[in-house]
């Protein structure tokens, strides 16, 4: 008779097992309004540890009603509770048996008695299930914790000019640009808003048009903003949003020295990119963008890549993702949003089927080589699965748009719908008081969202896109079906990442 093989130990892994896990969270918000009410990355960790330490030996626990189990390979499952604070837990087969002990109310001692593993192994599995809200005390289901944002984010529209003509762009192009007087007044107004409303950080997004066409002003404003922020005890963060066709080495070095990050728009490889990001004269731009990305890497200042998906490039998104992963670059996927400038370009509007197919092809590439950083914050458009939120973005809350003349708007997609200016007004107060432009409602106020278990992750989707499609702000996103289709697949990717980098 052959020798009996030892039983596999029960093992569960989560982001808590990753060294410096908080530094591996990437939010794909560089080309949009950053999310509001995002808790500190350590918030859930500390809260869960506290709850775990207070659990009594006789306490009964039960599996969360909304908890999902998703097979990620033959021997592992990803568990996730969309009604909690988030966090994927990867279970091997014995650990999955431990979870099943809580299909009905059970104490930890009862779970230990039901599973033949050592008590320490069971304790470790149960601890991770508790932390992620996969199980909860009987009668006390997990509830998401929403943090208050400490960062005031501003889109500075430094140039209305652009050397490309992307058909989905929402900006009416002209040669106009922001000057030093307007720029400095904008910085002063933003610092004033941050101080008046209790923010500790100001984040500036130098944008356009093509922001690098006004590079002298970008460097001047960044230096001025850092000086003013430091004088008031504020942290300053900054990013340049660029099409990447003409960033010179000296400018890159200056941005690197100043600590200004760079986001490059890349919509595919070769023809897929060129189909929607041509020069003014119609010539293709991909080779110039590729050269800029290589230059940034050579100079030690790697960019974040923003990929906008339309019907034209949906089938080529996987190649763009492969391009990023080959170079070790972070990236985000963004769905095309209908707007006034693009209204006549009918072939940009994707169908639900073609977008899902394109995304799943991109996910297959990630599955082959999961990066060390979590993709849950950057591959799901305005939805994400890192931390629960009540709104999809900071519009009307902690986000301000300032155009090249110093006029204030709520959203960069509606930059021409201005409310006041930086010379006379508190920019944040303007956008918070406004009810005449974009309404960024709480997800629980939206029809079709209130009873959905995913609502604190998609948060109802982009309000501008929803209004363009439905004429209402208080209904679910037109991309709701897409989100529901891809969320489980995205969670599987997170499971694979944890297996590779935190597996034991």
């Amino acid at each position: 008779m052959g020798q009996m093989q030892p039983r596999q130990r029960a093992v569960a892994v989560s982001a808590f097992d990753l060294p410096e896990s908080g530094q591996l969270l990437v939010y794909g918000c560089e080309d949009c309004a950053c999310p509001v009410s995002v808790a500190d990355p350590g918030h859930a960790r500390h809260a869960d540890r506290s709850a775990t330490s207070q659990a009594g030996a006789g306490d009964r626990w039960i599996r969360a009603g909304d908890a999902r189990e998703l097979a990620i390979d033959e021997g592992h499952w990803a568990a996730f509770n969309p009604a909690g604070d988030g966090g994927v837990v990867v279970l091997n087969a014995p650990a999955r048996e431990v979870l099943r002990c809580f299909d009905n109310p059970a104490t930890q001692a009862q779970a230990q008695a039901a599973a033949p593993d050592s008590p320490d192994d069971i304790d470790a599995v149960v601890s991770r299930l508790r932390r992620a809200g996969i199980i909860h005390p009987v009668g006390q289901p997990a509830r998401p914790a929403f943090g208050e944002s400490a960062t005031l984010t501003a889109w500075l529209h430094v140039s209305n000019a652009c050397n490309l003509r992307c058909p989905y762009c929402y900006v009416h192009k002209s040669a106009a640009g922001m000057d030093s007087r307007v720029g400095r007044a904008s910085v002063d107004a933003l610092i004033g808003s941050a101080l008046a409303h209790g923010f500790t950080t100001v984040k500036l997004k130098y944008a356009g048009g093509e922001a690098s066409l006004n590079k002298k002003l970008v460097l001047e404003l960044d230096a001025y903003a850092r000086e003013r922020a430091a004088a008031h005890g504020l942290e300053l963060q900054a990013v340049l949003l660029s099409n990447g066709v003409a960033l010179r080495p000296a400018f890159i070095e200056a941005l690197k020295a100043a600590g200004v990050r760079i986001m490059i728009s890349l919509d595919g490889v070769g023809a897929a990119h060129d189909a929607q990001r041509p020069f003014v004269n119609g010539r293709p731009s991909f080779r110039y963008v590729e050269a800029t990305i290589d230059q940034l890497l050579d100079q030690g200042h790697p960019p974040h890549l923003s990929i906008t998906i339309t019907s034209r490039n949906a089938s080529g998104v996987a190649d763009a993702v492969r391009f990023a992963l080959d170079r070790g670059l972070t990236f985000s996927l963004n769905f095309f949003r209908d707007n006034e400038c693009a209204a006549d370009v009918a072939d940009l509007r994707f169908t639900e089927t073609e977008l899902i197919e394109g995304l799943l092809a991109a996910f297959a590439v990630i599955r082959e080589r999961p990066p060390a950083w979590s993709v849950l914050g950057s591959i799901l458009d305005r939805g994400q699965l890192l931390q629960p939120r009540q709104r999809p973005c900071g519009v009307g809350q902690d986000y301000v748009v300032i155009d090249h003349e110093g006029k204030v708007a709520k959203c960069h997609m509606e930059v021409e719908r201005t409310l006041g200016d930086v010379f006379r007004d508190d920019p944040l107060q303007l956008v918070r008081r406004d009810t005449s432009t974009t309404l960024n409602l709480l997800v629980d106020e939206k029809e079709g969202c209130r009873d959905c278990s995913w609502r604190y992750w998609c948060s109802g989707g982009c309000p501008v896109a929803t209004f363009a499609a439905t004429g209402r702000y208080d209904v679910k996103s037109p991309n709701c079906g897409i989100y529901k289709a891809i969320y489980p697949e995205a969670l599987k990717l997170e499971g694979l990442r944890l297996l590779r980098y935190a597996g034991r």
Side-chain angles (χ1 to χ4, degrees):
M1 179 180 292
Q3 186 175 7
M4 181 176 294
Q5 295 296 316
R7 172 184 163 86
Q8 185 184 17
R9 294 175 52 216
V11 176
V13 295
S14 70
F16 298 110
D17 298 299
L18 275 175
E20 301 178 336
S21 62
Q23 299 178 26
L24 297 173
L25 306 181
V26 175
Y27 292 89
C29 69
E30 297 303 8
D31 66 336
C32 204
C34 291
V36 71
S37 299
V38 171
D40 175 79
H43 170 81
R45 180 191 295 259
H46 297 314
D48 289 331
R49 278 182 176 168
S50 175
T52 300
S53 66
Q54 294 173 6
D59 289 348
R60 295 194 307 158
W61 295 70
I62 191 167
R63 175 187 177 128
D66 287 326
R68 263 76 165 172
E69 268 183 69
L70 304 161
I72 54 179
D73 62 24
E74 289 186 3
H76 296 92
W77 291 261
F80 179 79
N81 178 16
D85 275 326
V88 171
V89 179
V90 177
L91 308 170
N92 66 1
R96 191 183 184 209
E97 292 176 19
V98 175
L99 173 57
R100 287 178 172 173
C101 291
F102 296 99
D103 285 347
N104 295 303
T107 65
Q108 187 161 333
Q110 289 172 326
Q112 289 173 341
D117 297 71
S118 72
D120 287 346
D121 289 342
I122 303 302
D123 286 349
V125 172
V126 172
S127 173
R128 281 160 181 76
L129 293 174
R130 288 174 175 175
R131 285 178 170 180
I134 308 300
I135 62 175
H136 61 79
V138 173
Q140 301 176 48
R143 294 283 186 268
F146 304 109
E148 290 298 323
S149 173
T151 301
L152 173 60
T153 301
W155 175 287
L156 293 184
H157 194 83
V158 299
S159 178
N160 216 35
C162 189
N163 37 23
L164 297 188
R165 285 297 180 268
C166 309
Y168 56 72
C169 185
Y170 43 81
V171 176
H172 292 282
K173 307 297 188 302
S174 73
M178 185 179 285
D179 61 25
S180 179
R181 180 185 71 92
V182 171
R184 287 175 176 253
S186 298
V187 168
D188 289 338
L190 290 168
I191 296 293
S193 276
L195 295 171
H197 299 279
F199 291 93
T200 60
T201 302
V202 174
K203 180 175 182 178
L204 301 181
K205 298 183 177 186
Y206 303 112
E210 171 52 32
S212 68
L213 296 178
N214 202 355
K215 58 180 177 290
K216 182 178 178 181
L217 179 71
V218 168
L219 296 176
E220 176 192 336
L221 287 189
D222 194 70
Y224 182 69
R226 291 181 190 281
E227 173 189 314
R228 300 301 299 151
H232 292 283
L234 298 171
E235 179 186 351
L236 187 84
Q237 300 174 3
V239 58
L240 176 83
L241 313 186
S242 175
N243 59 33
V245 299
L247 299 186
R248 303 300 179 215
F251 185 43
I252 293 172
E253 281 300 327
L255 293 172
K256 179 182 176 182
V260 178
R261 294 180 294 114
I262 299 176
M263 185 282 289
I264 299 291
S265 294
L266 180 82
D267 288 355
V269 175
H273 173 89
D274 295 332
Q276 55 191 40
R277 298 191 67 83
F279 280 101
V280 175
N281 60 8
R283 290 188 298 115
S285 66
F286 172 75
R287 67 184 181 94
Y288 296 92
V289 179
E290 182 181 32
T292 294
I293 292 170
D294 290 342
Q295 181 67 45
L296 286 161
L297 290 169
D298 288 345
Q299 292 184 234
H301 199 40
H304 175 83
L305 303 184
S306 176
I307 304 165
T308 297
I309 309 174
T310 74
S311 180
R312 292 185 183 186
N313 72 330
S315 61
V317 173
D319 292 331
V321 168
R322 186 178 291 107
F323 178 99
L325 293 177
D326 284 347
R327 291 158 178 78
L329 298 176
T330 60
F331 60 89
S332 54
L333 305 181
N334 311 290
F335 302 169
F336 162 67
R337 285 160 176 69
D338 217 341
N339 61 81
E340 181 181 331
C341 293
D344 296 328
V345 191
D347 69 337
L348 295 175
R349 299 176 185 87
F350 47 75
T351 66
E352 192 169 285
T353 298
E354 67 183 338
L355 184 58
I356 291 173
E357 288 177 353
L359 289 170
L360 293 181
F363 288 8
V365 173
I366 300 170
R367 186 180 182 89
E368 294 170 4
R369 53 180 102 174
W373 53 276
S374 177
V375 300
L376 292 184
S378 62
I379 60 171
L380 303 167
D381 189 55
R382 295 283 67 78
Q384 50 84 11
L385 291 163
L386 287 177
Q387 291 172 309
R389 304 166 303 166
Q390 294 175 295
R391 292 183 173 89
C393 65
V395 166
Q397 303 297 313
D398 60 3
Y399 180 68
V400 172
V401 175
I402 301 175
D403 76 3
H404 59 287
E405 296 178 334
K407 296 176 182 177
V408 177
K410 261 187 178 177
C411 176
H412 55 278
M413 286 197 64
E414 299 182 333
V415 67
E416 295 178 359
R417 299 179 69 185
T418 57
L419 307 170
D421 65 61
V422 298
F423 300 102
R424 297 174 297 176
D425 303 301
D426 173 343
L428 187 60
Q429 189 175 68
L430 281 178
V431 300
R432 284 184 170 180
R433 288 182 174 179
D434 173 68
T435 58
S436 63
T437 60
T438 303
L439 298 181
N440 191 13
L441 303 177
L442 294 169
V443 67
D444 286 320
E445 297 175 356
K446 297 181 181 180
E447 184 181 306
C449 296
R450 300 182 187 96
D451 298 322
C452 177
S453 58
W454 296 110
R455 66 188 181 280
Y456 295 128
W457 306 96
C458 77
S459 307
C462 171
V464 173
T466 299
F467 188 82
T470 68
R472 295 172 60 182
Y473 293 109
D474 62 341
V475 293
K476 67 181 182 180
S477 167
N479 296 324
C480 177
I482 297 169
Y483 291 141
K484 287 181 177 177
I486 62 176
Y487 275 14
E489 301 307 313
L491 291 170
K492 293 178 187 179
L493 295 180
E494 178 70 353
L496 286 170
R497 178 182 80 105
L498 294 174
L499 276 180
R500 172 169 294 191
Y501 297 102
R504 291 183 272 151

